[in-house]
Amino acid sequence: MKTPTARKLPSGSWFVRVRINGEDIGITRDTEKAAIAEAMAIKAGIKREAQRPKDDRSIREAIDSYIEKRQDKLSPATVRGYRIIQKNRFPGIMDIPERRLTDSAVRAELHRSAGELSPKTLRNSWGFVSSVLAAEFGRKVTDVYLPQVVVSPHPFLQPEEIPVFLEAIRGVRHELPILLALHSLRFSEIAALRWQDIDVERKQILVRGAAVPDEQNRLVRKATNKNASSRRTVPIMIDRLPELVCEADRSGEFVTSVKNGSLFNHINRICRKSDLPEVGVHGLRHSFVSLAFSLGVPEELTMQIGGWSDYQTMRKIYKHLAQQDITKHVAELTAFFNRQKTAMKMAMNKNKPRDY
């Protein structure tokens, strides 16, 4: 296999062009050696691809095989996510037989999909499909560009907004699961909660198990939680919650049968009417953590109540400083600098020569 030649660009990078199946592929790397190595790897991969037996299955068919081989290890929610990708993502390549599927066609479909999907959805979807290609066909698509994912903080209620929210939800439908979310419970934990798990006398909630949607969007309840820390005892902190439990019709086994989407929309309608941020179900969990930090609750206790497995996750995703705290600290800093400025002025005036 002939070694390609690299040329140095004005920027200082090195560029190599290789022609594969009538298509020019450009590679730019920081060093000449790296650019040539990448070009050789691509050419070698294409050569191996030509020697590999071709497969008549499409990606859609390969996904069936991929899931079937891992059925015992995958959660219902994971399988549901895979099926959504199989049904709705990358329609331009999903049904092409693998033996006729070119890398350029895949890249073109990803480029088209970038105009329809969020960067996060595109990355997650392609991550799964690329795993299927590798596992089922032994194939890796090169030179794939995916847009950068910009992580936006999840909306949450400021501490001073929580009393307004509590008043707005009083007496509404689904008030009980809403209060459970504000106690830091995930929706999967709320959906799996049984009446016996709420101990009114001891004022505690036993989080034992979770409920997740399957391929048909039916809730499947399982005994295990997201992680070991998720199995926990949460103290009841809002007095309204025991009242609702005592008033409720507890003929059924589970506390609620509401679906995640329905509860999400219900909460956001209440927020809109009350001129509050639309936080959804998970935003109430964020609001709990924000309130805990604002009140100076120790991190260990906050992590224990919320069921996080490590500090890094809790701090990175959930530690929101309330705006009033930011304002308070900025005011303290401003006051400090103003005091120093005033002191300097007084010292200068004191040492200034006087005319007699």
Side-chain angles (χ1 to χ4, degrees), residues 150-171:
V150 179
V151 180
S152 301
H154 199 292
F156 64 97
L157 298 174
Q158 298 283 351
E160 69 272 14
E161 293 172 327
I162 291 177
V164 178
F165 179 76
L166 289 172
E167 183 62 31
I169 65 171
R170 189 175 183 87

Side-chain angles (χ1 to χ4, degrees), residues 100-125:
R100 289 180 18 220
L101 183 65
T102 63
D103 284 8
S104 59
V106 174
R107 289 192 289 267
E109 179 66 8
L110 287 173
H111 179 73
R112 186 197 64 78
S113 297
E116 299 177 351
L117 306 174
S118 70
K120 182 179 179 180
T121 299
L122 180 61
R123 280 185 173 270
N124 290 343
S125 300

Side-chain angles (χ1 to χ4, degrees), residues 223-236:
T224 56
N225 290 88
K226 184 175 182 180
N227 52 55
S229 301
S230 297
R231 188 178 176 86
R232 64 199 189 277
T233 300
V234 177
I236 294 177

